[in-house]
Amino acid sequence: MAQIRARGIIVKQSDYGEGHRMLSIFTEEYGIVKAVSYGVKKTKSKTGAASQFLRYADFDLYQGVNKELMTVNSVDTIDAFYPLSEDIKKLSLCVYFADITYSLLGMNNPDERILHLFLNSVYALAYRNVSLQKVKTVYELKLMCAGGYMPAVGGCMSCGSADVYAFDLLKGGTVCRECGGKHIITLNKTLIRALNYIISCDDKKMLAFNASPDVLNSLGALTEQYIALQTDRRFPSLDYYKTISEM
Ligand SMILES: [Zn+2]
């Protein structure tokens, strides 16, 4: 049994019993952990009030006999990303980010790089004037790179030819006409340049490039299909985000 202090961000919340909340917290030290916040509906509970989706904080956690499930003792907020709480589109995009992050990382698997990519993306959505499509595409691609699925984009990944024309979602890289398989998305020079930039840039500069909405849309279609195919999952939160975005 132990008392743990961990810095992290709440990536999921759900009701738990009468007036309690089950949280998934993506922490620096322990990866994504589960913890219960008791009495969140009590008006005087500071911890309860802070036990919210996307709360970035130092958490005091108590690990009892059940190591898989901790208890939240206190929450010292660093950032609540308040502008997001009023924007359903941005919020639903963050839910999707949390889903794809969990599907790559699983529980109890610390990854500081992915945590910072996640935080950078949430920060950009809350405080910077960047399009949602851009943040989405870049997070999807950077997450895949950090999670061990970095696309190979220097020529055809099967035969080495410099004459690439498409991205093969299954092989995970660019291919020439001879080598392309069934799951391909045609590329042009602008798309290849954008792909290259995002893959190779410093994480801190991941949003510092210019691309037209058209380019971002095409690239976004590629990155979301790449994730779905490589993780072999469908993400209802992505469908929900798209439904809201069209309203
Ligand atoms: Zn080839």
Side-chain angles (χ1 to χ4, degrees):
M1 290 185 244
Q3 191 73 36
I4 287 167
R5 190 165 175 86
R7 178 165 290 191
I9 181 165
I10 298 176
V11 291
K12 197 175 177 187
Q13 66 175 58
S14 53
D15 289 338
Y16 183 71
E18 283 290 308
H20 315 306
R21 199 170 282 155
M22 175 71 77
L23 306 174
S24 294
I25 312 171
F26 187 1
T27 68
E28 246 170 56
E29 300 88 341
Y30 309 95
I32 301 175
V33 298
K34 273 195 190 308
V36 180
S37 185
Y38 287 98
V40 287
K41 285 175 186 155
K42 286 187 189 144
T43 46
K44 281 183 186 163
S45 166
K46 261 198 221 161
T47 304
S51 298
Q52 303 270 3
F53 181 53
L54 299 179
R55 181 65 57 121
Y56 179 47
D58 285 319
F59 295 87
D60 279 323
L61 303 168
Y62 177 74
Q63 193 175 40
V65 186
N66 179 359
K67 289 205 160 166
E68 299 295 305
L69 187 57
M70 298 194 258
T71 301
V72 180
N73 278 347
S74 73
V75 183
D76 291 333
T77 298
I78 300 165
D79 201 327
F81 300 111
Y82 281 123
L84 295 178
S85 61
E86 290 149 20
D87 191 317
I88 186 79
K89 283 182 196 174
K90 289 180 176 177
L91 264 185
S92 64
L93 184 55
C94 291
V95 173
Y96 167 63
F97 284 174
D99 282 353
I100 55 178
T101 306
Y102 174 74
S103 84
L104 254 92
L105 214 52
M107 299 294 293
N108 309 312
N109 180 19
D111 192 312
E112 227 172 292
R113 183 181 174 201
I114 292 180
L115 176 60
H116 286 121
L117 290 169
F118 186 88
L119 285 167
N120 288 351
S121 303
V122 172
Y123 184 92
L125 288 172
Y127 303 120
R128 290 179 57 195
N129 186 22
V130 195
S131 77
L132 277 70
Q133 181 62 266
K134 188 180 197 180
V135 180
K136 171 182 169 289
T137 303
V138 170
Y139 184 66
E140 287 171 330
L141 193 50
K142 278 291 194 191
L143 172 68
M144 288 305 269
C145 291
Y149 297 87
M150 185 164 100
V153 289
C156 172
M157 63 181 297
S158 292
C159 73
S161 160
D163 192 17
V164 297
Y165 91 112
F167 188 89
D168 191 311
L169 297 164
L170 213 53
K171 289 181 176 169
T174 47
V175 287
C176 72
R177 278 176 200 281
E178 321 270 276
C179 302
K182 234 171 53 181
H183 300 277
I184 55 156
I185 289 180
T186 321
L187 295 170
N188 58 38
K189 285 213 168 75
T190 319
L191 281 174
I192 294 176
R193 215 169 27 234
L195 262 177
N196 260 315
Y197 176 83
I198 301 166
I199 290 168
S200 55
C201 75
D202 187 315
D203 289 352
K204 288 191 183 110
K205 297 194 174 136
M206 66 187 196
L207 295 165
F209 64 98
N210 289 315
S212 69
D214 276 354
V215 168
L216 288 172
N217 278 334
S218 307
L219 206 58
L222 186 159
T223 50
E224 72 187 35
Q225 288 181 67
Y226 183 47
I227 291 188
L229 205 68
Q230 293 290 339
T231 62
D232 198 18
R233 279 199 51 187
R234 273 187 60 80
F235 297 97
S237 51
L238 175 61
D239 300 334
Y240 183 69
Y241 164 68
K242 284 183 175 174
T243 311
I244 302 193
S245 297
E246 280 157 16
M247 292 203 269

